Amino acid sequence: PQTTQPTTNHHNTNLPKPTAKTTKNLPKMASPSVAKKSPAAHEPFGDQAPGCEPYWYQGYPSAYYNASHVEFRKKCRAFVQDEISPNLEGWISRNEVYPLSLHAKALARGIPSAGLAKDVQTRYPKEIIPEGGFDAFHELIMLDEYAAAGPGNCMGQAAINSMALPPVLFAGTPEVQAQVVDDVIAGRKNISLAISEPFAGSDVASLRTTAKREGDNYRITGQKKWITGGHVADYFTLAVRTGGAGGSGVSLLLVDAKTPGVNIRKMPTQFDTVHGTTFIEIEDALVPTKNLIGKEGAGFKYLLLNFNHERFVISASTCRYSRICYSESLKYSMRRKTFGKPIAEHQMVRFKLAEMLRLIEALHDNNERVAFQYKSGVPDSALGAQCAMLKVMCSKTFEYCAREASQIYGGSSVVREGPGRIVERLYREVRAQAIPGGSEEILMDLAARQALAGARNAPDLSRAKL
């Protein structure tokens, strides 16, 4: 049975708090207080147990964050504590979709409702845009803070909006944009990305859904599968085949979800969610040709550019899920006793904790590196391999952390109640992060192929004359 205990934070357990006695034999970690004199350090925020928050939350200096990021972080955490944490467990146990009104509530508190991809950043009301503007680090903070509420994918549609809206903005006509952009930004409507099909997941260029011109309309027929948020979407950025085989025959259309012939059903999933994924049957649906996004036959190129930001979004959330695995395990290991002593005093358990933290901090550093590329104006076309490897790193890190957290919790991690219920839920979440946005195998191959192609034409600057 599902527990009805609210997840006010992800550190809830039914066990007593650590005492000096249970930690007396453990070495103490150095305090970052000496770094507070640095102008690049900010006041500590949140959980100060080592590794349970990103390093810059715990007083360490960072070159990336300024006062606007600190203020934005505060807004995001307050929103999560007020609107999400007290309700998430109840929504999950009742199999409910989270109230989509949360998007407008977030916007009213200065938090973007459709992400912060480059083309979206300037579309928000002026009163919520910080001095100097939004950047990728604001988005990294927002995604991390939403995920800190715990697994369940609350505000997941806001993330999907951030993936489905950019093609409309960078390629759509003003007429197409007018149908959807302002309403999504305001939190009144939602848009989902409809690409994957039963026979074309990572192999987007092989999609079979057709769109044939008939006068002023396209007649669309086909199937879409694993379409996240399809049941709550008002519109779809729909990938269709308007031409011949391969990527050059793919186009994008803006499709109203209520179009006759579009039938959507929610699919049951392995993981707990207050969002969801869907199967869409499309049979002879007529969509105006004016709803074409960009040029006919250019849809595959638009998607390739869009995938990079999607992978960054997934990695940011997954990093926090991994951190929750570590945080829960760290604190549990000081409380749980076996053979007359806390399990934290067993060397193998300490190794598991250290390896989790090593991977998490490396992943977080990589998230920041990619965020800095975005902030610095590096185009998506130059970030394919970096974002591909980032996505692989996030899923492998999460998989390791979920496994080792389960090992530390033992039997408590295989039941959906008690001290291990969050770890049990996280374990079932792993594949939901590893597969969407490109599987590990496809992304590793992409990165290697780009490296080989680049190596063929790269000049050897080490031989240049001094």
Side-chain angles (χ1 to χ4, degrees):
Q2 294 278 1
T3 176
T4 57
Q5 181 179 349
T7 52
T8 304
N9 59 63
H10 56 254
H11 303 306
N12 277 334
T13 71
N14 298 323
L15 295 169
K17 293 183 177 181
T19 65
K21 183 177 180 181
T22 62
T23 60
K24 65 179 181 179
N25 294 326
L26 301 179
K28 293 184 178 180
M29 196 168 182
S31 169
S33 59
V34 293
K36 293 179 184 177
K37 297 177 182 178
S38 168
H42 301 284
E43 286 298 313
F45 181 87
D47 191 341
Q48 295 303 293
C52 293
E53 300 277 15
Y55 69 96
W56 71 284
Y57 285 44
Q58 299 187 329
Y60 289 97
S62 171
Y64 298 124
Y65 303 99
N66 57 38
S68 77
H69 297 114
V70 172
E71 179 62 25
F72 186 69
R73 176 183 64 182
K74 182 180 178 181
K75 289 179 182 179
C76 291
R77 181 150 298 192
F79 177 77
V80 169
Q81 290 177 340
D82 293 345
E83 300 288 347
I84 298 176
S85 294
N87 301 307
L88 181 59
E89 194 69 34
W91 293 332
I92 290 174
S93 65
R94 296 188 296 272
N95 196 30
E96 295 176 354
V97 175
Y98 74 89
L100 297 173
S101 59
L102 285 184
H103 297 177
K105 286 185 177 181
L107 189 67
R109 296 175 70 157
I111 304 170
S113 52
L116 285 168
K118 180 186 67 175
D119 297 288
V120 183
Q121 290 175 7
T122 60
R123 299 300 294 254
Y124 291 102
K126 291 182 180 179
E127 56 268 24
I128 80 162
I129 299 177
E131 184 177 353
F134 282 123
D135 61 36
F137 288 98
H138 291 96
E139 183 164 42
L140 179 58
I141 290 167
M142 179 182 70
L143 295 166
D144 179 74
E145 288 294 330
Y146 282 162
N153 206 20
C154 189
M155 299 300 284
Q157 187 58 39
I160 295 299
N161 289 342
S162 80
M163 301 172 190
L165 200 59
V168 176
L169 285 167
F170 68 68
T173 64
E175 187 176 12
V176 168
Q177 293 180 19
Q179 295 182 55
V180 64
V181 173
D182 288 346
D183 282 337
V184 172
I185 292 293
R188 294 188 293 266
K189 291 187 177 180
N190 296 288
I191 182 170
S192 285
L193 200 57
I195 303 173
S196 296
E197 299 181 358
F199 302 100
S202 295
D203 187 9
V204 176
S206 295
L207 64 84
R208 301 179 182 180
T209 297
T210 59
K212 298 179 179 179
R213 277 184 179 263
E214 292 186 4
D216 293 333
N217 294 298
Y218 286 104
R219 184 178 293 276
I220 305 174
T221 299
Q223 297 176 323
K224 295 292 176 180
K225 193 174 184 181
W226 310 292
I227 306 307
T228 306
H231 55 308
V232 297
D234 299 284
Y235 290 92
F236 294 103
T237 298
L238 182 75
V240 295
R241 183 164 301 285
T242 54
S248 61
V250 175
S251 300
L252 297 183
L253 292 171
L254 179 67
V255 176
D256 190 319
K258 295 183 176 61
T259 301
V262 176
N263 300 294
I264 306 162
R265 66 174 176 85
K266 187 178 179 184
M267 296 191 294
T269 59
Q270 177 187 47
F271 52 94
D272 289 335
T273 181
V274 294
H275 190 207
T277 194
T278 59
F279 190 97
I280 303 175
E281 292 266 9
I282 308 172
E283 186 174 357
D284 291 330
L286 293 177
V287 175
T289 55
K290 64 183 181 182
N291 280 22
L292 179 69
I293 298 173
K295 296 179 181 179
E296 194 168 281
F300 187 67
K301 179 181 72 174
Y302 301 149
L303 291 175
L304 288 181
L305 297 176
N306 201 56
F307 281 146
N308 292 333
H309 177 257
E310 177 180 352
R311 289 160 187 159
F312 171 71
V313 168
I314 293 170
S315 183
S317 299
T318 303
C319 186
R320 175 59 81 160
Y321 285 161
S322 301
R323 198 179 294 276
I324 295 174
C325 290
Y326 163 81
S327 176
E328 293 286 303
S329 299
L330 175 72
K331 296 181 179 183
Y332 184 77
S333 72
M334 294 189 289
R335 298 172 177 135
R336 170 70 168 158
K337 289 185 176 182
T338 61
F339 305 104
K341 60 183 179 181
I343 61 173
E345 293 189 25
H346 296 294
Q347 186 179 37
M348 182 53 71
V349 171
R350 294 198 299 273
F351 172 84
K352 292 177 186 294
L353 293 170
E355 183 67 357
M356 278 194 268
L357 187 56
R358 182 183 71 83
L359 293 169
I360 292 163
E361 298 297 11
L363 174 58
H364 187 80
D365 286 350
N366 272 272
N367 282 334
E368 290 182 325
R369 177 171 57 81
V370 170
F372 185 69
Q373 305 311 304
Y374 277 122
K375 181 179 179 179
S376 300
V378 177
D380 269 296
S381 58
L383 290 174
Q386 290 192 47
C387 289
M389 290 188 290
L390 180 70
K391 171 63 170 52
V392 173
M393 186 175 186
C394 86
S395 60
K396 285 183 174 291
T397 297
F398 185 24
E399 184 164 28
Y400 178 86
C401 290
R403 181 192 187 281
E404 295 307 316
S406 297
Q407 292 297 106
I408 289 172
Y409 269 84
S412 293
S413 71
V414 298
V415 293
R416 300 185 186 186
E417 61 178 43
R421 70 188 185 283
I422 298 299
V423 169
E424 186 277 335
R425 186 174 292 158
L426 284 161
Y427 192 85
R428 287 184 288 111
E429 181 75 28
V430 171
R431 298 265 68 81
Q433 304 300 320
I435 294 173
S439 69
E440 293 170 358
E441 294 79 6
I442 294 292
L443 296 180
M444 292 285 279
D445 182 59
L446 168 65
R449 284 189 289 111
Q450 289 199 355
L452 289 168
R456 292 189 184 100
N457 301 312
D460 187 353
L461 299 180
S462 65
R463 297 172 184 253
K465 293 182 180 180
L466 298 178

